[in-house]
């Protein structure tokens, strides 16, 4: 069982380019999340999905979009990348977002540099 | 005041030392408390989970919650170089107002 996989591991991107970060989980979790982690700012939630077919905005959603066509996959798209989107991006999943005892499991991350 | 405060460190200790990591919070709605460990260039991994005031032990690790003081701690006994990582506290306010909030993390180095 792999858990959560993310691709690519790292990427350097020119500003203005479109980029999709991929995330796949094999735990049959209902909920999935995208975070960015920046020095001094910690983990910040970008978007989440309670279940396949639904998505919601987190703390810092501007400039990002997500889709959840099925249970396993939760891609994050940067339509037109800007240097402020340089960060480490983590995908996470959990069994049931609205359960008080729910815990999140994280992928290995994607390091994105926008020049 | 931020909802969750965590001293970023860095904290450097000799091998074998007892380590104390702490977070304070301001939101009384937080009901569930977690500690995540994050090694360099890796994703966070769940280390400890508690939901009530008091202590919970798991091997060399003890999580402590004091809801009256809005203060949580993680103690590491007999610290090892392999414990060197960033430790993040996290808290959940449950029910219809579900929200998971992370502290910014404390960088710990255990020197052999």
């Amino acid at each position: 069982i792999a858990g959560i996989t993310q691709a690519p591991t790292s990427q350097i991107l020119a500003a203005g380019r479109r980029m999709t970060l991929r995330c796949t989980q094999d735990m049959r979790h209902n909920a999935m999340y995208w975070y960015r982690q920046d020095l001094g700012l910690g983990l910040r939630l970008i978007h989440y999905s309670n279940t396949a077919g639904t998505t919601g905005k987190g703390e810092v959603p501007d400039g990002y979009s997500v889709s959840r066509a099925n249970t396993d996959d939760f891609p994050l798209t940067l339509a037109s990348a800007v240097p402020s989107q340089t960060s480490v991006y983590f995908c996470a999943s959990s069994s049931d977002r609205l359960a008080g005892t729910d815990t999140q499991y994280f992928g290995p991350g994607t390091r994105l540099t926008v020049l | 005041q931020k909802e969750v405060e965590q001293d970023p460190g860095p904290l450097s200790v000799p091998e074998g030392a007892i380590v104390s990591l702490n977070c304070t919070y301001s939101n009384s709605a937080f009901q569930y408390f977690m500690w995540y460990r994050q090694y360099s260039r890796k994703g966070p991994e769940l280390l400890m989970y508690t939901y009530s005031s008091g202590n919970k032990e798991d091997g060399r690790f003890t999580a402590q919650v004091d809801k009256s003081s809005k203060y949580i701690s993680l103690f590491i006994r007999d610290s090892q170089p392999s414990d060197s990582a960033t430790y993040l506290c996290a808290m959940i306010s449950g029910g219809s107002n579900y929200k998971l909030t992370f502290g910014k993390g404390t960088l710990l180095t255990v020197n052999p």
Side-chain angles (χ1 to χ4, degrees):
Chain A
I1 295 177
I4 298 179
T5 57
Q6 292 184 238
T9 301
S10 64
Q11 181 76 44
I12 298 174
L13 189 67
R17 297 297 295 269
R18 180 184 179 90
M19 174 75 189
T20 295
L21 308 185
R22 299 185 299 279
C23 174
T24 299
Q25 55 107 354
D26 63 4
M27 296 177 282
R28 307 303 295 174
H29 282 167
N30 286 318
M32 297 186 75
Y33 314 81
W34 275 105
Y35 292 88
R36 59 178 291 175
Q37 188 175 39
D38 302 286
L39 194 64
L41 297 176
L43 281 162
R44 293 182 291 169
L45 182 65
I46 304 171
H47 285 288
Y48 65 88
S49 169
N50 285 341
T51 189
T54 69
T55 62
K57 293 181 179 180
E59 183 183 354
V60 289
D62 294 343
Y64 306 94
S65 64
V66 291
S67 62
R68 187 89 184 276
N70 57 61
T71 297
D72 298 343
D73 301 300
F74 191 43
L76 176 74
T77 297
L78 290 67
S80 179
V82 295
S84 62
Q85 292 178 312
T86 293
S87 188
V88 182
Y89 291 85
F90 289 102
C91 180
S93 71
S94 68
S95 180
D96 181 355
R97 178 174 174 269
L98 298 180
T101 56
D102 194 44
T103 55
Q104 295 185 17
Y105 299 87
F106 286 79
T110 293
R111 290 182 170 272
L112 181 66
T113 302
V114 182
L115 301 176
Chain B
Q1 182 184 6
K2 292 192 172 75
E3 279 193 302
V4 179
E5 299 270 11
Q6 183 175 10
D7 187 337
L11 182 61
S12 181
V13 301
E15 183 175 354
I18 297 174
V19 175
S20 173
L21 304 166
N22 312 295
C23 287
T24 58
Y25 63 96
S26 58
N27 187 349
S28 299
F30 287 136
Q31 301 174 15
Y32 306 97
F33 305 90
M34 289 156 284
W35 286 96
Y36 281 82
R37 178 175 61 196
Q38 186 176 19
Y39 290 116
S40 180
R41 304 182 77 88
K42 301 288 187 183
E45 57 178 337
L46 183 66
L47 191 61
M48 297 282 286
Y49 175 95
T50 59
Y51 61 88
S52 60
S53 285
N55 293 351
K56 179 178 181 180
E57 281 193 27
D58 185 0
R60 296 185 294 110
F61 298 89
T62 299
Q64 186 176 81
V65 173
D66 183 347
K67 289 187 177 181
S68 63
S69 301
K70 297 188 177 66
Y71 187 88
I72 69 170
S73 299
L74 178 70
F75 298 97
I76 307 174
R77 292 185 299 279
D78 187 25
S79 57
Q80 302 296 309
S82 59
D83 295 328
S84 298
T86 296
Y87 290 81
L88 301 99
C89 63
M91 308 179 187
I92 295 176
S93 55
S96 60
N97 293 318
Y98 174 95
K99 182 178 180 181
L100 172 60
T101 303
F102 285 91
K104 292 182 180 179
T106 299
L107 176 61
L108 170 68
T109 300
V110 181
N111 300 298

